[in-house]
Amino acid sequence: MGRGLDVLVIGLGAMGSAAAAWLAECGYRVAAFDRFAPPHAHGSSHGRSRIFRQAYWEDPRYVELLLRAGDLWTKLERESGRRLLRVTGGLMVGPQDGQLVKRSAESARRFGVRHELVAANDLRKRWPVFRVGDDTMALLDHGAGYLDPEACIEEQLKHAVRHGAQLHLDEEVLEWKAASGEVTVRTGRGNYAAGHLVVAAGPWAPQTLADLALPLRVTRQVVFWFAPKGDMAHFREDRFPVYLFETNDEQPIVYGFPLTGPDSEGVKAAVHGSSEVCTPETACREIRAEDERLIRRRLEETLPSLAGRLVRAETCLYTMTPDENFVIGHHPHHARVTVAAGFSGHGFKFAPVIGEIAGELAVRGESRFDIEMFSPTRFAVGQGTPELRVR
Ligand SMILES: Cc1cc2nc3c(=O)[nH]c(=O)nc-3n(C[C@H](O)[C@H](O)[C@H](O)COP(=O)(O)OP(=O)(O)OC[C@H]3O[C@@H](n4cnc5c(N)ncnc54)[C@H](O)[C@@H]3O)c2cc1C
C-alpha cells in the first residue's frame, strides 16, 4: 500500500497527465496510473496534430479556458525547451449565415480574440485550394495553430516526474473505492490509498465511471493523410493555416492541417464526427473503403486538390456527451473523486487547463474557473457505489 499520498490519478492521457503535472508542481504527492505507456495510439490523443483555436464557435464560455490553456502551453514550451504549438492561424470557413463563421465571430469579438473576416474573393486569392461559393466567408483566428499531442503528453509527464509524481505505466486500475476518509485503487501490482482520486480515463470512462451511468458514447473516427494532386507548396505551413470547413447541407465539418512533416507524410484532413459507436476494445481499427469514400467526397466539395493519393490513415476515438460539452466536476456521490471525461472530440487544446481544474477540484474542493456547464449532474446520473470494479 503506497502511503502518504495526496492524490491518485487514473489515466495519463491528455487530461490525466496534465492533472498529475499541475498537482505535482503545486507540491502534492501524486501517484498516477495508466494501462498503457502514454503517449500511445489506443485512446484519443494520438495522430501528431490537434487544432488549437480561441474563436470558439461551440460556445463562448470556452474562451476563458482557451486563453488560460494558451498561456499554459506556452509555459510548458518554455520549461521543456520543446516546440509544442505551431501558430499557423486558423480559418473557419462556411456560409455567411452558417453557425461556424457567425458564432466564431461572436466569441472572438466578445473576448477580444485577434481575428479577421475574409470574404469569398479574398479567400480564393489567398488560399486557392479551397472551393468556395460566393456566399462563403471565413474567420481567420490569428492565434490558432496546431499542437503535437504526443510531444505534449510526453512533456506533461516529464513535468510531473520532475516535480516528484510517481507514474505507474502499464499498470491498469482494476478497481477503485471511495470511503469517508480516503480513496483506494487496486491494480494488478498493488493497492494504493490517498486523500483524493482524479478519474481521467478518456474512452474508457464508461467502464471506469460505470456507477455514474453517464450518457457517454464512444465513437470511431478516421483521419487521413493525402499527397495533394497539385503543388504541395500550397499546403506548407508558412502559407496554409489549420481550418474547419462547414458546408450548408447538413454534412459534417471537414477539418485539416498544413503539411506538418516531410512531403512524404502527406497532408492530414478528416471529417469531424462519425457516429459509429464502439468501445476501445471493439473499435474497428481497419480502414474501410467507405471511410475513404466519405473523406474523398467531402474533399471534392471543399479542397478538391488535396484528394490525391492516400498516404496513410488511422483511427481514433471520441467520447461524446449528448450536448458535446465536457464532464468535469466532483463525482456526485463521492466528494473525494473528481471526474474529467466526455471531451466530445474537441478537448485536447484545453488539456493543461483541464489538468488545473481537476487538480483544484481534488485538493481545494473548487475551481476558480466557471465550470457549471460541465457539471456531471446536468445528466440523470446513476446511484454511485462506494466500490467500482473497472474490470
Ligand atoms: C481523430 C481525433 C481528432 C481530434 N482533433 C482534435 C483537435 O483538433 N483539437 C482538440 O482540441 N481536440 C481534438 N480531439 C479530441 C481530443 O484529442 C480528446 O478530447 C482528448 O485527447 C481526450 O483526452 P483524454 O485524456 O480524455 O483521453 P486519453 O488521452 O485517451 O487518455 C485516457 C487514458 O486513460 C487510460 N486509462 C483508461 N482506463 C484506465 C484504467 N482502468 N487504468 C489505467 N489507465 C486507464 C488510457 O490508457 C489512456 O491513456 C480529437 C480527437 C480525435 C480522436
Side-chain angles (χ1 to χ4, degrees), residues 52-54 62-73 111-113 350 353:
F52 178 84
R53 57 197 158 88
Q54 291 179 321
Y62 282 96
V63 180
E64 184 201 7
L65 301 182
L66 286 164
L67 296 173
R68 176 68 178 160
D71 291 345
L72 291 172
W73 286 124
F111 290 91
V113 174
F350 296 87
V353 71

Side-chain angles (χ1 to χ4, degrees), residues 51-63 66-67 90-118 137-144 242-246 253 349:
I51 292 179
F52 178 84
R53 57 197 158 88
Q54 291 179 321
Y56 221 61
W57 73 278
E58 289 87 338
D59 192 311
R61 287 174 291 178
Y62 282 96
V63 180
L66 286 164
L67 296 173
L91 274 176
M92 312 302 133
V93 187
Q96 284 169 21
D97 56 354
Q99 299 292 310
L100 180 62
V101 176
K102 220 170 44 195
R103 294 175 62 164
S104 299
E106 277 163 20
S107 75
R109 277 190 217 108
R110 186 157 144 201
F111 290 91
V113 174
R114 220 157 45 83
H115 70 285
E116 172 189 345
L117 291 172
V118 188
M137 67 180 300
L139 176 138
L140 177 61
D141 175 345
H142 286 286
V242 299
Y243 63 90
L244 271 64
F245 198 138
E246 176 190 49
I253 283 175
K349 60 182 88 57

Side-chain angles (χ1 to χ4, degrees), residues 101-386:
V101 176
K102 220 170 44 195
R103 294 175 62 164
S104 299
E106 277 163 20
S107 75
R109 277 190 217 108
R110 186 157 144 201
F111 290 91
V113 174
R114 220 157 45 83
H115 70 285
E116 172 189 345
L117 291 172
V118 188
N121 265 343
D122 205 14
L123 196 54
R124 290 189 196 105
K125 273 189 225 135
R126 289 166 73 179
W127 297 284
V129 292
F130 289 114
R131 169 171 280 173
V132 293
D134 290 338
D135 72 331
T136 301
M137 67 180 300
L139 176 138
L140 177 61
D141 175 345
H142 286 286
Y146 68 92
L147 292 152
D148 175 338
E150 284 87 357
C152 291
I153 291 175
E154 271 170 27
E155 292 308 327
Q156 289 185 156
L157 292 174
K158 282 192 208 159
H159 193 79
V161 169
R162 262 199 306 279
H163 290 277
Q166 297 171 23
L167 302 188
H168 297 254
L169 305 183
D170 296 311
E171 187 169 348
E172 183 184 3
V173 171
L174 303 172
E175 181 180 36
W176 61 262
K177 285 185 195 172
S180 56
E182 65 172 16
V183 292
T184 55
V185 305
R186 181 173 65 80
T187 74
R189 296 196 202 138
N191 297 309
Y192 305 81
H196 303 274
L197 173 66
V198 173
V199 182
W204 287 267
Q207 292 103 290
T208 317
L209 296 166
D211 64 326
L212 271 185
L214 289 166
L216 300 175
R217 252 178 353 119
V218 175
T219 58
R220 169 183 178 271
Q221 310 295 324
V222 188
V223 296
F224 301 84
W225 283 259
F226 288 99
K229 287 184 233 166
D231 188 353
M232 182 64 103
H234 289 302
F235 293 96
R236 295 202 189 286
E237 68 177 28
D238 55 353
R239 57 192 275 199
F240 192 67
V242 299
Y243 63 90
L244 271 64
F245 198 138
E246 176 190 49
T247 48
N248 56 7
D249 48 8
E250 306 282 302
Q251 293 295 316
I253 283 175
V254 176
Y255 68 92
F257 300 82
L259 178 70
T260 62
D263 288 13
S264 58
E265 275 186 9
V267 178
K268 183 177 171 184
V271 164
H272 172 62
S274 116
S275 55
E276 185 179 333
V277 175
C278 60
T279 69
E281 286 71 33
T282 64
C284 168
R285 307 285 178 168
E286 303 293 308
I287 308 302
R288 307 179 191 125
E290 69 196 78
D291 299 323
E292 190 178 337
R293 260 197 307 273
L294 171 63
I295 184 72
R296 284 194 181 278
R297 180 167 59 71
R298 292 298 285 139
L299 288 176
E300 274 312 316
E301 293 158 355
T302 53
L303 287 97
S305 68
L306 180 52
R309 181 177 56 84
L310 178 61
V311 178
R312 202 165 78 81
E314 65 182 28
T315 61
C316 190
L317 303 170
Y318 283 179
T319 308
M320 304 300 294
T321 63
D323 58 12
E324 301 189 12
N325 292 320
F326 310 155
V327 181
I328 311 169
H330 285 127
H331 187 298
H333 306 296
H334 306 299
R336 292 180 174 277
V337 179
T338 297
V339 173
F343 290 96
S344 302
H346 64 119
F348 196 91
K349 60 182 88 57
F350 296 87
V353 71
I354 304 298
E356 181 173 21
I357 292 169
E360 285 177 333
L361 289 174
V363 294
R364 297 180 188 155
E366 58 183 11
S367 171
R368 68 200 170 90
F369 295 97
D370 179 5
I371 53 167
E372 208 189 315
M373 69 192 279
F374 304 134
S375 169
T377 55
R378 71 187 188 278
F379 306 118
V381 290
Q383 295 301 306
T385 55

